[in-house]
Amino acid sequence: MRKETKIEEVPFEEAEYCVFDFETTGMSGKHDKVIEIGMVKIRAGKIADTFSSRINPGRPIPYFITKLTGITNADVENAPFFDEIYYKIKEFIGDSVLIAHNLSFDYSFLKHECANADIEFPPNESVCTLRLARKLYPELKSKSLGNLTRSLKIRHRDVHTGLGDSMATAKILLKMFPILRDEHNVDTVTDLVSFQNYPTATKPYRIIKKKLLDDFSRIPDEPGIYYYKNSKGEILYIGKAKSLKDRLNNYFSNNAIRKEKDIVRRASSLEFQKTNSELTALIAEAEMIKIHNPKLNKMLKKYPRSYFLKLITTHDFPAVEVSPGFDFDGNDYYGPYPNRETAGTLKEVVDKAFRLRECKDKEFKKSRRCYLADIERCLAPCVEKDVSDLYEDEIKNVYEFLSGHNQSAVDRLLNRMKELSARQKYEEAAQSRDVVQSILSQINKASILAEPINKANVLIEISGPVNNDYLLMLEGKIILRNYFIDSKNKFVNALNDYFENASQMNLKISEKDIEKLRIGLSWLVKNKNRIKVHYLKNYSSAEELASSFIFLNKN
């Protein structure tokens, strides 16, 4: 990102990054040359694009470099020189923040290659993942690229190639994002650049106001939210933590980022509210920020995007599509799924196992029979006038499948495989076989709910570090047990109302409910091993439900 661009307000997760890596003829940027470049573009927290090229160094490649990288003199003989390909490199970089592991090494080569070719050196902001790793993973003896990928369980393909190493670095950076925000209060690109530059302190703590240190001494090692207040008792800043003690410890460290130091400098007291789980802390933080609008909470936090399968039930002949969000718009949403690929693969299963239309409404209105109808993958409601009942049966089968009942789809596809094989249509049969394998791998278990979000009535047990949490979801409305912001007994009353009046429930969903649901689903899909979902329709009373709980309280 160019220095003249005002980046201080850009949330760091939403910024654009260019992760780059050079393979070179040696270790000196001044005396050696680049032989390969690999670049990976990150946009809004996702890997979006790649670029790689061999580069002619204009000199022989040393034998030990060939042994390390696999790049030979023949590989670069007809490759472009650096100045010939720089316009492509510069175009790919654009206004991105430059990222490299051991940035000083790659930066030195970039600087000298530009100087030798008499071309402009990119004035972008830059961040070194090695420097970040030293602060985020102090327990690791080595912060090398190889050790980080092993420790973080990242698959590192094509080691010692420009694209292979830059891709590994990009994945490491994305792994760092939640830690940077949740544990170190990094919000913007400016915070990120500043954070990497703070020296490792020889003294672990700074001199702080005695009242703040007294308040800090009472902080528990439990989830919750915290409030910094000024001398007038006004709330300056609200945050949340998986561990209040660990999180707030960062504010009093010499390694605290500039924003944390500013908060502590202005604050006169520190208060906290314990919660049973990180999820309740997340929801409470968002709600309390909206209630109090603290001066130093400059922006609302962003939560990782989840994906859904949307059944467009507002159409006479519903279709299924992947949706990056959900709404209470009369359609049904299954999910959440952790990424677009998982949701897309599941949609492909639905498309190949059930004969629903796959066309957009615009195409449907043209009333033209398509290829999918010819191969019997669609009932063709656009041209067939007597398929309403058959189509409704297919929709019921899709609902059953998305609710976790896979056998009907498997049986149908196996029969289709036999028919296609008998007709010697082996390619189509192989496609059906692949879909069966996807089903048998139980990809739809990536979701946490077996009912549409807008219709789900569930109680979710959440295993907490000390006490457990209980989340009630009633047709999109979320209610937490013992939630300090809600009125007393709201959870118990809502649960009893369900069992007494389940058939008469008509809950109104507010924007506040939708925000809670977004936060809740985002957290739940990443913590499936810590939750148990109970479907209320399977129980006759709250007492029967309570007897089925699986997590024990720790105290």
Side-chain angles (χ1 to χ4, degrees), residues 88 110 132 135 144 212 233-234 247 267 277 324 350 379 405 502:
K88 289 186 178 180
L110 180 59
L132 292 178
K135 299 177 186 302
S144 68
L212 280 178
E234 299 168 334
R247 177 68 192 89
S277 70
V350 172
L379 288 170
H405 304 291

Side-chain angles (χ1 to χ4, degrees), residues 411-457:
D411 291 344
R412 176 181 296 208
L413 284 163
L414 288 173
N415 290 332
R416 181 168 174 76
M417 281 171 57
K418 292 176 183 177
E419 292 174 8
L420 290 167
S421 296
R423 290 153 57 185
Q424 296 186 339
K425 294 191 175 184
Y426 300 116
E427 185 175 343
E428 292 91 335
Q431 289 180 358
S432 294
R433 180 201 63 214
D434 293 342
V435 177
V436 169
Q437 290 173 347
S438 291
I439 296 173
L440 294 178
S441 68
Q442 299 180 323
I443 189 169
N444 55 326
K445 285 194 174 180
S447 174
I448 56 171
L449 295 174
E451 295 178 357
I453 290 166
N454 49 302
K455 295 178 180 176
N457 292 309

Side-chain angles (χ1 to χ4, degrees), residues 241-309:
K242 186 187 300 185
S243 164
L244 286 165
K245 183 169 283 294
D246 287 348
R247 177 68 192 89
L248 288 164
N249 184 63
N250 291 327
Y251 283 86
F252 299 97
S253 166
N254 270 323
N255 289 330
I257 64 172
R258 182 168 55 195
K259 185 177 76 173
E260 292 172 337
K261 290 179 179 178
D262 186 45
I263 291 171
V264 170
R265 180 179 60 80
R266 298 191 191 194
S268 295
S269 62
L270 171 62
E271 297 178 8
F272 67 91
Q273 173 70 51
K274 290 193 297 184
T275 60
N276 290 336
S277 70
E278 182 190 19
L279 173 57
T280 304
L282 275 166
I283 292 173
E285 177 198 34
E287 196 164 346
M288 293 299 283
I289 287 173
K290 288 189 175 181
I291 291 171
H292 295 284
N293 193 25
K295 291 180 181 179
L296 300 182
N297 286 98
K298 293 182 180 178
M299 62 184 70
L300 291 177
K301 295 193 175 179
K302 302 289 182 180
Y303 299 95
R305 175 175 288 181
S306 297
Y307 291 86
F308 302 82
L309 281 191

Side-chain angles (χ1 to χ4, degrees), residues 184-288:
H184 296 277
N185 218 23
V186 173
D187 279 335
T188 65
V189 171
T190 297
D191 291 339
L192 180 61
V193 173
S194 298
F195 178 75
Q196 69 163 348
N197 291 328
Y198 286 125
T200 302
T202 53
K203 295 182 180 180
Y205 297 102
R206 296 181 286 130
I207 297 174
I208 307 295
K209 300 167 191 171
K210 185 176 184 303
K211 176 67 169 68
L212 280 178
L213 287 177
D214 289 343
D215 291 342
F216 174 69
S217 68
R218 293 189 286 271
I219 299 295
D221 186 17
E222 295 181 40
I225 62 173
Y226 56 91
Y227 316 82
Y228 279 102
K229 293 184 175 182
N230 63 17
S231 58
K232 297 179 181 178
E234 299 168 334
I235 296 176
L236 294 173
Y237 185 82
I238 298 173
K240 68 86 191 170
K242 186 187 300 185
S243 164
L244 286 165
K245 183 169 283 294
D246 287 348
R247 177 68 192 89
L248 288 164
N249 184 63
N250 291 327
Y251 283 86
F252 299 97
S253 166
N254 270 323
N255 289 330
I257 64 172
R258 182 168 55 195
K259 185 177 76 173
E260 292 172 337
K261 290 179 179 178
D262 186 45
I263 291 171
V264 170
R265 180 179 60 80
R266 298 191 191 194
S268 295
S269 62
L270 171 62
E271 297 178 8
F272 67 91
Q273 173 70 51
K274 290 193 297 184
T275 60
N276 290 336
S277 70
E278 182 190 19
L279 173 57
T280 304
L282 275 166
I283 292 173
E285 177 198 34
E287 196 164 346
M288 293 299 283

Side-chain angles (χ1 to χ4, degrees), residues 393-407:
D393 289 341
E394 286 295 277
I395 288 292
K396 289 178 181 177
N397 290 332
V398 171
Y399 274 104
E400 184 179 349
F401 171 67
L402 292 176
S403 297
H405 304 291
N406 299 334
Q407 196 57 48

Side-chain angles (χ1 to χ4, degrees), residues 52 149 196 224 248 338 341 368:
S52 65
T149 54
Q196 69 163 348
L248 288 164
E341 290 74 23
R368 295 177 186 169

Side-chain angles (χ1 to χ4, degrees), residues 305-357:
R305 175 175 288 181
S306 297
Y307 291 86
F308 302 82
L309 281 191
K310 175 181 177 181
L311 276 75
I312 308 173
T313 55
T314 51
H315 194 283
D316 290 339
F317 295 99
V320 177
E321 64 180 34
V322 174
S323 173
F326 64 89
D327 203 347
F328 291 85
D329 53 7
N331 298 304
D332 287 341
Y333 292 81
Y334 275 90
Y337 302 100
N339 50 57
R340 182 180 288 276
E341 290 74 23
T342 300
T345 302
L346 187 54
K347 180 185 182 300
E348 184 181 0
V349 171
V350 172
D351 289 342
K352 292 181 178 178
F354 305 97
R355 293 187 294 166
L356 302 186
R357 68 183 182 93

